[in-house]
Amino acid sequence: MNTSGAQLWLDKIHQLPELAAPFNLLNVCGGHERSITHAGLRGVLPKGLNLIPGPGCPVCVCPEADIALAIAIAMQANVVLLAFGDLLRVPINRTNPCKLLPKSVKSLSQAKAAGADIQPIASPLEAKKIAAQQPNKTVVFFAAGFETTMAPVAALLTEFFSHSLPRNLLFLISGRKTWPAVRKLLADAESAPIHGLIAPGHVATVMGAHEWQFIPDEFKIPSAIAGFESESLLRAFHSILQQQISHKPQLENCYPQAVKTHGNLHAQTLLDRCFKVTSSQWRGIGSINNSGFTLVPALAELDAHNHYADISLAIHEAYSQNTMPKNCKCAEVVMAKGLPNQCPLYGTSCSPRQPLGPCMVSDEGACRIWWSAGHE
């Protein structure tokens, strides 16, 4: 953190009156948490300003049932399963007596080692390319992510309407909307008291700054939208502290170069055309109203759930409990009920090399970020 802009905002923060009481500031984005942690921002901010990671990792909240279904489909004959790389190592519970899955297979990467054709991809366009290259196989794209990931998935899906998608390409959708989880967290009396919130800059770029206006309106706490550089984050911290001092909570856009009031309308149109919003499961957390993307009826023939209906039903019955590994606190970390290093598994039996919980798997998981930065 040597840029003059970041130092300017840090100086401004230290020129503010001292905090009269501890101030818990939640961030909602794994990218923010990574920037905060690796820039060492916690160590240079005023004492009493506590930066708390929140529900910013789509891999961490992907339900067991969805991962188990992806594994079961991948192990069918003549199937190629595609997924973004972080999903491959997320473990599921195999004490569950589900006959569709080999007892030794606890993740997609283990299914791949057992012979399933599972390929990591970095973009939705790769799914189209791979499906076109292998017309005699059924290619299933397991798409998990928040709004920023699901918008390009929707762009690919719209090619169905112009008949330009390979006919052998199916979709297993596990997309989530961000703000419903934040609202649930803020309304949950068991979460840490949150006094201010940093809204995710990339989600706001797609969905618009206005989507986060409910934070000051409904919960009466300061909030700001931030980008991913230290300068933007520190500017947002300064805004929130100023709002707190003046007792005037509002939403300030500290990432105006990317975030507009109503967001990317084209991306929103794509999302609306391809997905309907439904109540969805978040791993270890339960169902959250209006938080999930599912395919619209017009795209039903692309839905892997329909093509593998019997398997889908059996898996969802077997994994209806949506659990975390024993003693794993990932769900508590995601919902601001604990910090990564307060989990009894953190850095002992659970590490990036051998992750037990999803927050230790993903590059956007708080546990992995903290462990990679040397937090004990």
Side-chain angles (χ1 to χ4, degrees), residues 147 177 203-211 261-264 268 271:
E147 294 92 331
K177 291 176 68 71
V203 173
T205 300
V206 174
M207 304 306 293
H210 71 104
E211 193 170 70
T261 300
H262 296 288
N264 184 329
Q268 293 170 35
L271 289 168

Side-chain angles (χ1 to χ4, degrees), residues 198-348:
I198 299 293
H202 57 348
V203 173
T205 300
V206 174
M207 304 306 293
H210 71 104
E211 193 170 70
W212 298 93
Q213 187 60 45
F214 77 94
I215 301 295
D217 289 351
E218 185 174 339
F219 294 97
K220 313 301 181 189
I221 61 174
S223 58
I225 298 168
F228 299 88
E229 300 295 330
S230 294
E231 180 178 354
S232 182
L233 283 162
L234 289 166
R235 177 184 171 185
F237 299 163
H238 180 266
S239 170
I240 285 174
L241 292 173
Q242 270 203 323
Q243 293 175 44
Q244 178 72 6
I245 292 167
S246 63
H247 304 290
K248 294 180 179 178
Q250 58 179 313
L251 173 69
E252 181 171 354
N253 181 5
C254 296
Y255 195 28
Q257 64 270 40
V259 176
K260 308 305 177 190
T261 300
H262 296 288
N264 184 329
L265 298 180
H266 177 62
Q268 293 170 35
T269 298
L270 292 173
L271 289 168
D272 291 342
R273 189 178 187 193
C274 296
F275 300 122
K276 59 181 178 180
V277 176
T278 62
S279 297
S280 291
Q281 291 288 329
W282 292 54
R283 189 171 181 184
I285 296 166
S287 180
I288 300 179
N289 291 336
N290 301 317
S291 68
F293 293 110
T294 59
L295 291 173
V296 295
L299 296 173
E301 68 179 84
L302 302 180
D303 195 337
H305 288 279
N306 297 332
H307 281 257
Y308 299 97
D310 291 344
I311 297 174
S312 178
L313 179 62
I315 289 288
H316 280 86
E317 286 179 350
Y319 284 89
S320 62
Q321 294 301 310
N322 196 24
T323 58
M324 287 291 184
K326 185 178 180 181
N327 296 324
C328 172
K329 301 299 181 186
C330 281
E332 286 84 346
V333 170
V334 167
M335 295 303 281
K337 297 178 181 178
L339 296 172
N341 56 2
Q342 292 173 337
C343 175
L345 307 182
Y346 176 84
T348 54

Side-chain angles (χ1 to χ4, degrees), residues 62-130:
C62 187
E64 268 199 310
D66 290 8
I67 297 172
L69 178 58
I71 294 172
I73 291 174
M75 302 198 76
Q76 300 302 302
N78 210 39
V79 168
V80 180
L81 188 119
L82 312 175
F84 297 125
D86 282 355
L87 274 171
L88 267 61
R89 298 181 68 217
V90 177
I92 61 170
N93 175 17
R94 287 304 293 119
T95 58
N96 195 319
C98 180
K99 297 180 180 178
L100 289 169
L101 304 176
K103 198 75 174 178
S104 60
V105 172
K106 300 179 181 177
S107 66
L108 284 163
S109 61
Q110 290 183 358
K112 179 179 174 65
D117 191 348
I118 298 172
Q119 301 179 26
I121 59 173
S123 77
L125 287 178
E126 288 184 60
K128 179 181 178 182
K129 181 179 178 181
I130 292 171

Side-chain angles (χ1 to χ4, degrees), residues 109-193:
S109 61
Q110 290 183 358
K112 179 179 174 65
D117 191 348
I118 298 172
Q119 301 179 26
I121 59 173
S123 77
L125 287 178
E126 288 184 60
K128 179 181 178 182
K129 181 179 178 181
I130 292 171
Q133 291 172 337
Q134 303 190 67
N136 296 322
K137 292 194 172 183
T138 299
V139 177
V140 180
F141 177 19
F142 180 27
F146 290 139
E147 294 92 331
T148 47
T149 301
M150 300 315 292
V153 172
L156 176 62
L157 282 162
T158 57
E159 294 191 23
F160 170 79
F161 300 113
S162 59
H163 308 288
S164 52
L165 270 187
R167 296 179 63 85
N168 60 323
L169 179 59
L170 303 178
F171 292 78
L172 182 60
I173 299 296
S174 189
R176 298 289 179 272
K177 291 176 68 71
T178 314
W179 70 264
V182 175
R183 170 173 281 164
K184 179 179 176 68
L185 184 160
L186 293 176
D188 187 346
E190 295 182 5
S191 296

